Amino acid sequence: MAIEVLLRSLPYRSIALKTSSHALVLRHSSSTDATEKSTGQSYRAGDLPARCIVDFSSLDAVDLSGYIQLTPLPIQGTLGLITLGDGIFLSVVTNSTQVAIVRPGETVQRIDGVEFYCLNSAEYDYVGSNDLSHYSPDTLDGYDSDHTHDRSDPVLEHPCLELKKLLSRGSFYYSGNFDLTNRLQERSTYNATFDFDHAEDQFLWNSYMIKPLLDFRTRLATHEQEALDSSRILTSAIRGFVLSVVVPAASSPVRNATFGSPSTLTLISRLSCKRAGTRFNARGIDDEGNVANFVETETVFCMPSGLCFSYVQVRGSVPVFWEQTAGLIPGQQKIQITRSLEATQPAFDKHFEDLEHKYGVVHVLNLLSETKPGEMDLTNSYRHHVRHSSLNEAAANGDPERELIRETEFDFHAQTKGPSGYEAADMIQHMIKNSTEGFAYFCSEQIASGFSEKAANSRQQPSVVLQQEGVFRTNCLDCLDRTNIIQTLISRIGLEGFFTLCNARAGPDFWVRHSSLWADNGDVRTPSSASLQRSDDWTWQCLSKIYAGTGALKTSFTRHGKMSLAGAFADARKSAARMYINNFTDKSRQNTIDILLGRLISQSPVQLYDPINDFVGAELRKRTAEYSSPKQIRIWVGTFNLNGRTTGIRDDLSSWLCPSLDPAAQPDLVVVGFQEIVELSPQHIMSTDPSIRQMWEEALKQTLDKHAKKIGTEDYVLLRSGQLVGAALIVFSKGSALAGIKNVEGSVKKTGLSGVAGNKGAVAIRMDYADTRMCFVTAHLAAGFANYGDRNRDYNTISSGLRFQRNCSIEDHDVVIWLGDFNYRIGLADEVVRKLVANGDIETLYDNDQLNLQMVAGLTFPFYSEARITFMPTYRFDMGTDVYDTSEKRRIPAWCDRVLWKSHVLQNVAYDTCDLRFSDHRPVYACFLTTVNIVNEPAKERLTRRLYDLRRREVGHSTANKTTNDPDDEDLIGYDPIAPGLPPASSDRRRWWLDNGQILGVDPFRTRLTPFTGLPARSIVVPPSPRSSPNPRRPSNPFAVTKAADWVDVSPSPSSSLVSRNPGRTDSPSMAENPTSATTTRRLPPPVLSPRSVPAPPPPRGSGRKAQDRSEAEHKREPSTSQATSPTSVQRKPAPIVPKKPVELRSTIGETDSIKGGDGFVRGSEDGSVPAAGFSRTAPSPRGMRRAGSSATGFAQGRGNDAEEASKGTEQARQASRASKSGPPVAHRSPAIIAARGTGRLSSGPSSASQSGPGKNPALRRKNTSTSPNTSAAGPATSGPALPPRRNTGGLAGP
């Protein structure tokens, strides 16, 4: 599909990628530059992301009238966005060549030319050319760039020139119609378009550049995602080597009925970008388990009949931490191991665990020399780590069949020194024969009529015949020359095994084409007429030139089967060239690679914003209730190890399938898992017999339908079933539920005999029930009492290796349920277990259950749940009895049969077993409730269109296709709030406290819209209940750490609608019923001021004691405010003096003014860090707030925590009490008065709150202490009158 690049310079620079139906418009946002100017501070490079606005719309919804063509020729796609210096550049593919047809309809393009267009400047529009043909191949390689032009030339150089050279060398490939980053076995089904969701990030070389566009894609609606994918604007690129050769029908080993139809042989090498670099800059392993020069090479042979073969190998640097310095003299290139064996082992294990999860068993082929000092040290370290790897624990314990890492050391140079030369390398075939036969290969079959476009469009889904269960990992020092020869031999072994299965034999012409492909993989040559691309003068890059700078050595033998004199001279020339390149140009090449992958500190990421679709998507997530309705469904899950018995088919299974939980509640889904459905004999292990499974399917359906007829409900239908030798999974559904179920798929994963045999493994079925993705897995894990490590490994292999269509994994689901014979045992002696079973001590048994202990340790089934076990162990019984094993082996009773789940929407309602005695296991079942949302697609589409149209009218021109001169994009881009529910930050136009000029309380989606002045920015925080109010005890600083509640429950006061009442206090019935009494004012004590929390104010009009006396005298002459304003209230003493200019304004809460969510602190010091006696310290309290119930001693203890402070506080309390009799109160109360004011008493002992003890209700403690104002739980009351009770003010301070 042709893609045009359009440019508009005014009023703002925008670039559009236009297809026949849609357009992707990108515009740099001016707010990126304005941010630094407005804040007045400079940002370090890389800290501030570059912001761009993006819009993807159909052509009828976007105005492209002001755009002109930026380039006359169409482009093939975009590689993404990247920042260099002050510029933001869009990378596009301008020239490409088709180099391979993997399968019908699956083509691969080699990137021959790229261009970088600047989004925020026109300075580089015509700098450089789209065509780099005037550069020589050496210039494109980057080590002869001094000949391009004189460095003194003032001509402006494009910032992305080195990137253009790197991407245009011919080492990058892409496909617009299939996922090139995954091997054929991982994408065994055809996809209409490229699947970005499951791309292998390890081989996606433009992942850094394309990530902003992929993030934008995920925010689009489903139909817009499909439109963007179909447009092929987004491109995924791998680096390595891809080439197909045509095999004529006469040369094809497998003859087909279609006369003249050729086959294709394809080689795909995918170079990892995780530890990418040049030869001496990237060696060994890193802490993430990534190794240098890691390459996955896949040989694919596809025939017109639809039969397809795939075989995968990997290569990579020795996985230890080592370095090698470059040098002009070969002896100077010394190898240095930089970490100890103990420090290297974790990274080594991680590397091989990743390989084992993805490929299965790993067979290491180490081709290093046994005599060279450096290589010998690497070999010794490699051997040590293999033997001590966690993957080989079972082999170390005497079980070699469970060896997951196998090792073969083959000194290539020593073995090929003889007269046979490199032909002696063939002897390695005998050393790896067992692995080549056990690993097998991938094979699929489909019906196709040829390579025509019509046949490609009408192709059927392939059927998997065989899967590859292991991989060879080959390495030498550079993983180039020696490795390429050995991998060629292994690829040939795999093809010969496939041809043997097809009863065919390949001729010499076929093997010449095969050897030529592998030689091209390691060396550089001009394309031949045998390849599927046009012949031209290009020389593309191979793996060796990518890593070492030159072609591979020894390719004369690889290509022709023997070493020639010309080949020896070519190797000498390449060695000299390598020495020059590695010493003088590799550093600059490494820097360019780091820029492409976004590794430099100075690089900043690009953030894309879509003002319309981002808003619509967010609103749809908030308003799901408008287009969906919840529906509760029931799921019954059962597992049963049949021990190969078929007698139970005729038994009554209703006690297991139809438990008497709720007779009227019929499950919507019934999931049955069987283990050992057939006897695990040698003839059954390598094949699957479906006949017995079909018999059980019929028996299960008859039982379910019989029960449904009995309770008067509908029958069940068989939804899907699957089988792996002895493991089978069968799913039934109610007929009425079929309308909501779609995308039902199945898959299997072998784990027996290190992944080769199917006696152990898993069967999985997934589906979409409404909007909920469900996956059911039945598994039979490794047996043996002490082999819990193998069981953990089997789980990891299944969880990570089992794949559905579109590379969907088990973890990609909302509901995951595992059921089966997991074989975890109880870690106690047989006599102890049987005694505990006889006593019914399930708790002790479960405490020693291996699965329980492994899950607690996080070693298996992470984040999974299991219901409480209330039944006895289900394994192992004597046949037909309830007696545990009495045979000679006397198996220890255990809960082998389990049901686990992982989901946020599942509720378990039953977990039990039943008495079916025809097997040595007992069946187990579990019942679940879950809620799914039934989406009304037409309603969702209408709401989406409505929101889209409203948003389009609201933002109007202010999208990426902006046509006005308004430079402020902040209202479109916005900023994230600091917490959910809070408004975003303000700007010059956005002021959330003014609500952006919008009318408060008006629905933003009203039909009549106000003029656009910005986006709504009001807070959406809603109180949890109508009686909730913000907690005044929380710190005024919202960033302060506190445990105080956000909200408190308050009740409206009868006397005023503006004053809330303490919800924890109950008024007397008379006050509630009598309005008159309710309005009677209760006597209040003077307000409490803490002398430490409120410091003394500065003396007015002067300083010293005289000024203070004048202030007090003036206050004495002032009338009582409370008496003047409330003539009907009860007479009371005048309020104390309030400081005129306190440093800190603080409110006080009395004893009866309890507020839920308080922190229990008294501000006894300036920083408020002194805890009140009797309360535990949790967090600082809001200023002026104090927990009621603390006494004078408590306050004194808070200050000094000694007897002297306590005695001072008591004495001050007596003085203050006497002063209250003789005259007006003073402005500053003593600590004793402050502490006692909240309790209504004076006390010298510990507070009653502390006497009440921890864990009791604070409100009850306060209530009890307030009933006796003149007494204390700790001792007698001090002298002085009792303080009057305070009126309930709802937690508000003041009289």
Side-chain angles (χ1 to χ4, degrees):
M1 181 179 294
I3 304 174
E4 299 181 49
V5 183
L6 306 179
L7 170 68
R8 188 184 64 192
S9 300
L10 296 174
Y12 293 102
R13 183 176 175 86
S14 301
I15 294 180
L17 302 180
K18 175 189 172 185
T19 66
S20 59
S21 59
H22 289 77
L24 179 70
V25 184
L26 296 152
R27 176 171 65 84
H28 174 247
S29 171
S30 57
S31 65
T32 307
D33 303 326
T35 301
E36 184 171 342
K37 297 178 181 178
S38 62
T39 56
Q41 58 180 339
S42 60
Y43 291 85
R44 188 178 62 180
D47 288 349
L48 185 64
R51 298 175 181 266
C52 295
I53 299 178
V54 62
D55 183 22
F56 180 72
S57 306
S58 58
L59 292 181
D60 55 359
V62 62
D63 181 15
L64 299 178
S65 58
Y67 287 81
I68 61 173
Q69 281 192 341
L70 189 57
T71 174
L73 299 177
I75 65 171
Q76 279 74 50
T78 176
L79 296 174
L81 297 161
I82 194 170
T83 58
L84 280 179
D86 297 331
I88 304 176
F89 296 90
L90 174 68
S91 176
V92 298
V93 179
T94 58
N95 189 19
S96 65
T97 303
Q98 180 175 308
V99 294
I101 298 179
V102 182
R103 291 189 296 185
E106 294 184 348
T107 60
V108 181
Q109 309 287 327
R110 187 188 68 228
I111 298 177
D112 295 335
V114 298
E115 189 57 72
F116 289 82
Y117 298 117
C118 189
L119 283 174
N120 57 337
S121 174
E123 187 177 9
Y124 308 107
D125 281 355
Y126 303 102
V127 175
S129 173
N130 293 345
D131 183 13
L132 290 177
S133 59
H134 62 277
Y135 292 109
S136 65
D138 288 343
T139 299
L140 291 176
D141 292 336
Y143 58 81
D144 197 20
S145 56
D146 291 339
H147 297 285
T148 54
H149 58 78
D150 187 0
R151 290 298 179 184
S152 61
D153 193 347
V155 176
L156 181 66
E157 184 178 279
H158 199 289
C160 302
L161 178 61
E162 294 302 323
L163 281 178
K164 292 166 66 176
K165 294 179 183 179
L166 175 68
L167 293 169
S168 302
R169 291 174 189 165
S171 62
F172 290 87
Y173 302 83
Y174 76 93
S175 175
N177 42 43
F178 77 100
D179 183 5
L180 187 57
T181 64
N182 276 298
R183 56 178 175 154
L184 188 60
Q185 183 167 317
E186 300 293 339
R187 52 177 186 86
S188 56
T189 58
Y190 286 113
N191 296 321
T193 57
F194 177 80
D195 184 12
F196 287 98
D197 295 327
H198 300 98
E200 180 58 62
D201 189 60
Q202 182 180 13
F203 303 120
L204 187 62
W205 271 74
N206 64 325
S207 59
Y208 175 76
M209 293 195 299
I210 203 68
K211 186 179 185 301
L213 289 168
L214 294 182
D215 292 341
F216 160 72
R217 172 185 172 274
T218 60
R219 302 194 296 268
L220 295 175
T222 303
H223 67 280
E224 291 180 323
Q225 287 187 16
E226 295 175 352
L228 181 59
D229 294 345
S230 301
S231 68
R232 299 186 181 179
I233 293 178
L234 306 184
T235 303
S236 65
I238 69 166
R239 194 181 192 193
F241 176 81
V242 182
L243 188 64
S244 287
V245 294
V246 176
V247 180
S251 301
S252 178
V254 182
R255 305 301 171 89
N256 55 80
T258 305
F259 179 78
S261 297
S263 304
T264 56
L265 181 64
T266 306
L267 195 65
I268 305 174
S269 289
R270 306 175 180 94
L271 177 64
S272 173
C273 62
K274 293 300 182 181
R275 189 165 169 76
T278 55
R279 186 183 182 193
F280 289 102
N281 292 293
R283 290 290 205 190
I285 195 173
D286 62 14
D287 290 292
E288 299 298 324
N290 304 307
V291 296
N293 199 23
F294 182 84
V295 183
E296 177 190 86
T297 304
E298 181 178 17
T299 305
V300 181
F301 182 60
C302 190
M303 291 170 286
S305 61
L307 199 61
C308 194
F309 160 90
S310 168
Y311 193 81
V312 171
Q313 305 175 66
V314 296
R315 68 174 72 180
S317 184
V318 177
V320 298
F321 291 93
W322 63 284
E323 298 173 355
Q324 188 178 19
T325 57
L328 295 176
I329 301 176
Q332 293 179 344
Q333 302 172 353
K334 294 184 178 180
I335 295 172
Q336 179 183 4
I337 298 178
T338 58
R339 286 199 193 179
S340 64
L341 297 175
E342 294 78 8
T344 303
Q345 194 68 48
F348 181 93
D349 289 343
K350 181 172 177 56
H351 172 70
F352 277 95
E353 285 172 1
D354 293 341
L355 292 180
E356 193 271 335
H357 287 166
K358 184 173 183 179
Y359 303 105
V361 180
V362 183
H363 192 136
V364 172
L365 296 179
N366 183 13
L367 308 180
L368 293 177
S369 172
E370 297 178 355
T371 57
K372 294 182 180 180
E375 296 188 15
M376 185 172 58
D377 294 339
L378 290 177
T379 297
N380 293 334
S381 180
Y382 204 165
R383 186 187 306 119
H384 175 274
H385 291 303
V386 169
R387 293 176 180 176
H388 291 81
S389 174
S390 59
L391 296 178
N392 279 346
E393 290 180 356
N397 295 331
D399 189 3
E401 291 185 352
R402 294 191 173 275
E403 190 177 28
L404 298 178
I405 304 179
R406 306 170 185 174
E407 184 184 22
T408 298
E409 296 178 2
F410 184 80
D411 188 344
F412 184 88
H413 288 313
Q415 298 293 338
T416 57
K417 274 186 177 180
S420 300
Y422 294 142
E423 296 179 4
D426 290 344
M427 68 177 64
I428 200 174
Q429 299 184 43
H430 305 288
M431 306 171 68
I432 61 175
K433 182 178 180 181
N434 292 336
S435 293
T436 54
E437 293 176 354
F439 292 170
Y441 45 83
F442 174 80
C443 179
S444 63
E445 185 177 12
Q446 68 169 6
I447 300 174
S449 57
F451 282 77
S452 65
E453 191 70 18
K454 181 178 180 180
N457 295 332
S458 61
R459 59 180 180 261
Q460 297 183 1
Q461 291 293 330
S463 174
V464 176
V465 178
L466 194 63
Q467 288 189 333
Q468 185 174 344
E469 303 293 346
V471 69
F472 286 98
R473 186 196 188 278
T474 310
N475 72 272
C476 52
L477 192 64
D478 297 323
C479 303
L480 297 176
D481 315 320
R482 292 172 276 181
T483 299
N484 206 59
I485 292 177
I486 297 301
Q487 287 196 333
T488 304
L489 297 175
I490 297 175
S491 175
R492 176 168 181 159
I493 294 172
L495 279 167
E496 288 176 343
F498 170 67
F499 296 150
T500 301
L501 179 67
C502 300
N503 295 322
R505 184 180 180 88
D509 183 67
F510 177 85
W511 294 122
V512 167
R513 298 174 188 273
H514 175 263
S515 299
S516 179
L517 265 182
W518 276 95
D520 293 343
N521 183 55
D523 197 5
V524 179
R525 72 184 184 102
T526 304
S528 65
S529 59
S531 59
L532 285 176
Q533 73 282 344
R534 66 169 185 258
S535 297
D536 50 29
D537 295 332
W538 263 92
T539 58
W540 68 87
Q541 289 208 344
C542 60
L543 296 179
S544 179
K545 193 154 190 175
I546 293 172
Y547 188 61
T550 69
L553 309 181
K554 309 174 182 62
T555 53
S556 176
F557 173 78
T558 307
R559 195 180 305 277
H560 306 292
K562 60 181 179 179
M563 195 66 184
S564 62
L565 181 62
F569 279 113
D571 288 351
R573 179 181 59 82
K574 293 174 185 177
S575 298
R578 279 188 187 181
M579 189 177 302
Y580 173 81
I581 294 170
N582 299 156
N583 282 274
F584 299 106
T585 68
D586 271 358
K587 288 186 178 180
S588 61
R589 291 201 303 154
Q590 182 69 50
N591 184 70
T592 306
I593 292 173
D594 292 338
I595 292 175
L596 176 66
L597 299 177
R599 294 175 176 175
L600 299 186
I601 299 177
S602 59
Q603 286 183 268
S604 59
V606 179
Q607 294 184 3
L608 295 181
Y609 295 87
D610 183 357
I612 297 180
N613 288 291
D614 290 357
F615 174 82
V616 171
E619 286 297 318
L620 284 176
R621 289 189 292 271
K622 296 176 185 177
R623 304 170 66 171
T624 54
E626 299 184 27
Y627 57 83
S628 64
S629 57
K631 176 186 177 182
Q632 188 179 73
I633 65 172
R634 290 177 175 267
I635 304 174
W636 183 95
V637 176
T639 177
F640 197 178
N641 187 314
L642 299 174
N643 194 27
R645 307 287 174 167
T646 58
T647 56
I649 294 178
R650 297 180 295 272
D651 289 3
D652 183 12
L653 305 176
S654 59
S655 61
W656 177 45
L657 296 175
C658 311
S660 57
L661 302 174
D662 185 357
Q666 185 185 18
D668 298 86
L669 293 176
V670 174
V671 182
V672 181
F674 288 127
Q675 302 81 45
E676 298 186 34
I677 196 172
V678 297
E679 186 178 355
L680 298 182
S681 58
Q683 60 269 24
H684 285 147
I685 288 179
M686 305 308 296
S687 62
T688 298
D689 182 10
S691 59
I692 298 180
R693 187 197 75 228
Q694 295 168 359
M695 295 169 58
W696 277 105
E697 290 173 0
E698 184 64 27
L700 294 173
K701 190 176 186 306
Q702 289 180 2
T703 303
L704 292 173
D705 291 345
K706 181 179 179 181
H707 180 72
K709 184 178 181 180
K710 179 179 178 181
I711 63 176
T713 56
E714 58 184 310
D715 292 342
Y716 284 89
V717 296
L718 176 61
L719 189 62
R720 176 156 184 158
S721 62
Q723 183 178 353
L724 174 65
V725 186
L729 185 62
I730 306 168
V731 180
F732 295 92
S733 169
K734 290 198 303 187
S736 59
L738 291 177
I741 299 175
K742 57 184 178 181
N743 298 330
V744 182
E745 304 169 14
S747 183
V748 299
K749 183 64 177 179
K750 300 177 183 178
T751 60
L753 298 179
S754 301
V756 176
N759 61 317
K760 296 292 188 292
V763 183
I765 294 177
R766 59 95 52 211
M767 68 185 71
D768 293 337
Y769 198 123
D771 66 339
T772 303
R773 296 168 297 176
M774 299 182 178
C775 180
F776 305 98
V777 185
T778 184
H780 195 188
L781 306 184
F785 179 85
N787 294 333
Y788 52 84
D790 294 337
R791 291 187 274 275
N792 296 347
R793 191 173 298 110
D794 285 352
Y795 159 77
N796 292 327
T797 301
I798 296 169
S799 179
S800 60
L802 191 145
R803 288 289 188 272
F804 299 99
Q805 294 183 16
R806 301 177 65 88
N807 204 28
C808 180
S809 68
I810 294 175
E811 300 300 322
D812 296 331
H813 294 83
D814 305 311
V815 173
V816 181
I817 300 179
W818 283 67
L819 57 147
D821 181 2
F822 300 156
N823 262 321
Y824 286 92
R825 310 303 172 88
I826 297 176
L828 296 173
D830 179 61
E831 297 78 7
V832 177
V833 173
R834 292 176 186 264
K835 183 176 180 181
L836 292 173
V837 170
N839 295 334
D841 192 351
I842 294 180
E843 294 296 331
T844 304
L845 292 172
Y846 187 72
D847 289 341
N848 294 275
D849 176 66
Q850 289 180 351
L851 179 58
N852 174 39
L853 296 175
Q854 295 298 302
M855 290 177 66
V856 170
L859 301 178
T860 188
F861 290 99
F863 308 108
Y864 278 83
S865 302
E866 183 181 27
R868 183 182 180 88
I869 295 180
T870 59
F871 48 88
M872 290 301 168
T874 59
Y875 171 87
R876 174 182 185 186
F877 294 90
D878 291 339
M879 291 293 183
T881 69
D882 291 330
V883 179
Y884 288 104
D885 188 18
T886 59
S887 65
E888 182 180 355
K889 294 184 177 180
R890 286 185 64 87
R891 296 299 198 324
I892 301 175
W895 287 297
C896 292
D897 311 281
R898 313 288 275 268
V899 177
L900 305 177
W901 73 91
K902 180 167 68 172
S903 174
H904 297 292
V905 297
L906 274 185
Q907 176 188 355
N908 179 262
V909 295
Y911 190 34
D912 207 346
T913 184
C914 67
D915 293 330
L916 293 179
R917 299 181 177 87
F918 58 84
S919 174
D920 58 353
H921 288 249
R922 291 291 181 267
V924 173
Y925 67 87
C927 297
F928 299 94
L929 292 178
T930 186
T931 300
V932 298
N933 288 321
I934 306 299
V935 178
N936 187 338
E937 294 296 342
K940 181 179 180 181
E941 182 63 26
R942 289 193 299 269
L943 178 60
T944 302
R945 180 50 56 186
R946 177 188 169 202
L947 292 172
Y948 186 92
D949 294 340
L950 278 168
R951 183 64 171 171
R952 170 67 73 176
R953 292 200 303 267
E954 187 176 33
V955 302
H957 57 275
S958 300
T959 61
N961 198 30
K962 193 172 183 178
T963 57
T964 63
N965 290 322
D966 187 1
D968 195 352
D969 294 328
E970 293 178 352
D971 292 320
L972 292 177
I973 294 180
Y975 298 95
D976 295 332
I978 61 174
L982 295 180
S986 60
S987 66
D988 292 340
R989 295 180 57 194
R990 179 198 299 273
R991 295 176 177 84
W992 58 265
W993 59 89
L994 299 179
D995 201 39
N996 290 328
Q998 302 290 339
I999 302 175
L1000 295 178
V1002 179
D1003 181 8
F1005 302 105
R1006 55 195 179 278
T1007 305
R1008 183 178 180 180
L1009 299 175
T1010 58
F1012 173 73
T1013 58
L1015 305 184
R1018 286 178 297 171
S1019 172
I1020 61 172
V1021 174
V1022 178
S1025 68
R1027 297 176 58 187
S1028 299
S1029 176
N1031 185 2
R1033 292 178 184 250
R1034 285 187 60 84
S1036 57
N1037 182 3
F1039 299 98
V1041 179
T1042 177
K1043 292 186 178 180
D1046 294 332
W1047 302 90
V1048 293
D1049 292 339
V1050 297
S1051 301
S1053 174
S1055 59
S1056 174
S1057 60
L1058 298 178
V1059 180
S1060 300
R1061 184 173 55 198
N1062 177 16
R1065 177 181 175 273
T1066 304
D1067 292 332
S1068 63
S1070 60
M1071 292 186 65
E1073 297 173 2
N1074 189 350
T1076 304
S1077 62
T1079 57
T1080 301
T1081 305
R1082 298 175 59 187
R1083 295 185 63 187
L1084 295 176
V1088 180
L1089 298 176
S1090 171
R1092 292 182 64 85
S1093 61
V1094 182
R1101 297 188 300 273
S1103 62
R1105 179 64 184 173
K1106 293 183 179 180
Q1108 183 175 355
D1109 294 340
R1110 287 197 302 270
S1111 176
E1112 293 179 359
E1114 291 176 0
H1115 183 76
K1116 292 178 183 179
R1117 292 193 295 269
E1118 295 177 359
S1120 175
T1121 305
S1122 60
Q1123 293 177 359
T1125 57
S1126 303
T1128 60
S1129 61
V1130 179
Q1131 295 298 323
R1132 56 182 292 265
K1133 294 181 180 181
I1137 296 176
V1138 178
K1140 293 184 178 181
K1141 295 183 179 180
V1143 178
E1144 297 176 344
L1145 295 177
R1146 307 187 181 218
S1147 59
T1148 305
I1149 298 177
E1151 168 62 30
T1152 59
D1153 301 327
S1154 61
I1155 296 181
K1156 295 195 301 184
D1159 54 19
F1161 281 83
V1162 176
R1163 290 286 178 170
S1165 60
E1166 290 298 330
D1167 59 356
S1169 61
V1170 179
F1175 294 91
S1176 61
R1177 176 168 183 170
T1178 55
S1181 171
R1183 294 178 177 178
M1185 299 301 174
R1186 176 178 52 82
R1187 170 82 76 165
S1190 59
S1191 65
T1193 302
F1195 189 87
Q1197 290 174 347
R1199 295 179 59 190
N1201 197 23
D1202 54 28
E1204 181 181 357
E1205 290 292 337
S1207 61
K1208 288 181 181 180
T1210 306
E1211 180 61 27
Q1212 291 174 355
R1214 295 192 184 99
Q1215 294 176 2
S1217 177
R1218 290 193 295 268
S1220 63
K1221 296 181 180 179
S1222 58
V1226 295
H1228 303 290
R1229 298 289 178 182
S1230 68
I1233 291 294
I1234 296 172
R1237 183 67 73 184
T1239 60
R1241 70 185 185 282
L1242 298 176
S1243 173
S1244 60
S1247 67
S1248 59
S1250 62
Q1251 294 293 323
S1252 61
K1256 296 185 179 182
N1257 191 340
L1260 296 179
R1261 294 200 299 270
R1262 289 191 291 270
K1263 181 177 180 181
N1264 293 334
T1265 57
S1266 64
T1267 58
S1268 302
N1270 296 324
T1271 61
S1272 172
T1278 59
S1279 61
L1283 297 177
R1286 296 194 61 184
R1287 179 180 60 190
N1288 179 19
T1289 59
L1292 300 178

